[in-house]
Amino acid sequence: MKLLYMLMLLSSLLPASLQAAPRDIPTFTSPEKVYTGKSTQWIQQPVVYDQGVDADIVLSLDQQLYDSMLPLINTYARDHHLTIVTGKGTCGISAGNIDKKSVDIGGFCCPPAENDRLPGLTWHTIGIAPIALIVPTANHTRTISLAQARDIFSGNLYNWGEVVGSQIDGLIHPIGRLHCKQRPGHWRLLLEHEDDFSPDLMEVGAISDMIRTVAMDKQAIGYETEWMLQTFNSKHSVRIVAIDGAYPDEIASTRYPLYRTYNLTSWSSDPAKNRLADELIRYLLKQADKLPPEFHLVPASLLRQQGWHFQGDELTGEPDHWK
C-alpha cells in the first residue's frame, strides 16, 4: 500500500502530458455522426431572424472569416439586389445563432465538434490557414522542431538554452489562447487537450492579447495565424519561427502541422433551407481562390489537388502521405 501511494504521488507530480496515454482527439469529426439531442419540434422549426432584422440572408461569421468574406458578400448583395446582414463574432456566437435558428449561414475557424453536427446542417470548407509560432523580435531563433514545441507548451522543456538552435537563454514563457475547446483542430494540433498544457502557461482570451503579450516578453512564445499577425502586429514586434525548417506559407507544398480550418454552414432541408443562402455559399467557395494573399488562406480547391479528403464540400481529413 505504501508503494502504491508513492507511485500515485509521483504520478501527480508529472506534467499532464505524461500522466496518461494520448487522448486520440481527431483532427476532424465524421459527417456521419449527426447530433441526436434535438427535438422534433426543433428540427421542424424554420429560421427566424432576430427582432428588427429584415433581410434575404443573415450570416454569423467568426472574426477571421468576416474580414475576408465581407467584401465578397457586399459585392454579391449589390450585384444580386439582395439585403444581406452579416454579423461579426466568434465560433461560439455562430454556434449559438445556429442553435437558435436565427441565421442562414454560420462561419467557423475550426472543424465541427460532434455536437455541432445538428440535424439538417451542412458544412462547407472555404480553406485552411496555417498557425505560426511567434516570438518577440529580440529572439532570433529561426526554427524549432514540432517535438520541441510540444515539449515547450506541455512544460517538459522550460529553458531556451535547451532548445536546439535557440539564440537566447533563460526560462521559456509559453502563451496560449485555448479557444473553441470542444472542437478539434487548431491548437489541438499542438497538444490534444487543455490539460496537456503546462501549469505555467499564460492563457489569454483575445488575439490582440496574444500578440501583445508575446511582444512584451523577450522569453515568450505563442501562436497565431499570419492573417491576424498582419492585423495586430503593426509595430512588427513579433516574428515567426519555422517548425522543422518549414514556414507557415509553405503549407501548400510541405507538411506544416498547425492550421485552422474555415467552414461555413447551411441548412439542407425545409423549412430552414434558404436557397438564396445556398447560392451565396457556392459563390464564396468559388471566390476563395481569388482572395488577396494577405489572408494566407489555402482554398479548398488547392487542398483537393494536394490529396486532402473531402465529403461533399467539407474537409474531413489530411492527405494520406502525411500519416
Side-chain angles (χ1 to χ4, degrees):
M1 289 296 292
K2 185 176 180 180
L3 177 60
L4 178 61
Y5 173 78
M6 292 178 65
L7 290 173
M8 292 175 62
L9 179 61
L10 178 60
S11 176
S12 70
L13 296 176
L14 290 173
S17 59
L18 299 180
Q19 288 183 28
R23 293 174 171 81
D24 195 28
I25 295 174
T27 304
F28 301 93
T29 58
S30 171
E32 308 300 331
K33 295 183 178 180
V34 178
Y35 181 65
T36 59
K38 289 298 182 183
S39 66
T40 301
Q41 180 181 4
W42 185 93
I43 294 172
Q44 296 174 349
Q45 176 185 328
V47 170
V48 178
Y49 303 147
D50 289 338
Q51 187 173 0
V53 175
D54 183 13
D56 298 300
I57 308 170
V58 175
L59 301 90
S60 173
L61 303 182
D62 84 283
Q63 56 189 320
Q64 302 198 47
L65 272 177
Y66 182 93
D67 291 343
S68 61
M69 296 286 109
L70 186 61
L72 296 173
I73 293 167
N74 288 341
T75 297
Y76 187 89
R78 184 189 65 241
D79 293 347
H80 291 79
H81 308 288
L82 297 172
T83 300
I84 302 178
V85 174
T86 308
K88 181 178 184 179
T90 64
C91 294
I93 291 173
S94 291
N97 288 329
I98 290 169
D99 189 63
K100 292 191 303 179
K101 283 196 171 180
S102 62
V103 298
D104 301 298
I105 298 172
F108 295 78
C109 71
C110 34
E114 289 186 2
N115 61 4
D116 287 320
R117 296 191 177 281
L118 302 179
L121 196 66
T122 301
W123 293 74
H124 313 264
T125 300
I126 294 290
I128 66 171
I131 299 172
L133 291 182
I134 56 173
V135 296
T137 52
N139 184 341
H140 299 292
T141 303
R142 295 186 176 276
T143 184
I144 64 175
S145 69
L146 179 59
Q148 286 177 329
R150 287 173 169 160
D151 281 343
I152 286 170
F153 281 93
S154 65
N156 295 326
L157 184 60
Y158 52 85
N159 194 299
W160 278 109
E162 299 176 29
V163 176
V164 177
S166 173
Q167 301 297 310
I168 65 170
D169 203 350
L171 292 178
I172 303 173
H173 300 159
I175 315 298
R177 190 174 76 85
L178 307 183
H179 63 96
C180 298
K181 294 181 180 181
Q182 74 275 29
R183 297 186 179 92
H186 50 86
W187 54 262
R188 290 187 186 276
L189 300 174
L190 185 61
L191 293 173
E192 290 180 332
H193 193 275
E194 60 181 308
D195 292 340
D196 294 333
F197 283 80
S198 168
D200 295 324
L201 179 79
M202 176 182 288
E203 188 173 352
V204 295
I207 294 171
S208 58
D209 292 337
M210 165 66 78
I211 298 169
R212 182 172 58 251
T213 302
V214 172
M216 294 174 60
D217 183 352
K218 66 179 182 180
Q219 306 297 114
I221 184 170
Y223 51 83
E224 191 45 68
T225 61
E226 292 179 282
W227 183 347
M228 288 293 102
L229 291 179
Q230 291 173 186
T231 301
F232 293 105
N233 189 28
S234 59
K235 296 182 180 179
H236 303 287
S237 50
V238 302
R239 53 182 298 276
I240 294 171
V241 178
I243 300 178
D244 290 314
Y247 283 92
D249 276 344
E250 298 178 70
I251 195 170
S253 58
T254 305
R255 181 179 181 178
Y256 184 85
L258 307 180
Y259 56 89
R260 286 185 184 160
T261 304
Y262 296 104
N263 285 304
L264 298 174
T265 67
S266 66
W267 299 104
S268 60
S269 57
D270 294 327
K273 184 178 179 66
N274 182 338
R275 287 162 180 79
L276 292 175
D278 294 343
E279 293 170 6
L280 173 59
I281 286 179
R282 284 195 289 271
Y283 167 79
L284 294 176
L285 289 173
K286 290 180 180 178
Q287 293 299 312
D289 291 354
K290 304 174 184 177
L291 284 174
E294 58 261 31
F295 293 114
H296 299 273
L297 187 133
V298 183
S301 60
L302 183 54
L303 295 175
R304 290 179 188 273
Q305 294 174 19
Q306 295 172 342
W308 293 65
H309 294 277
F310 283 77
Q311 184 164 323
D313 287 340
E314 183 186 351
L315 179 64
T316 58
E318 295 174 340
D320 291 337
H321 67 270
W322 278 30
K323 298 176 182 177

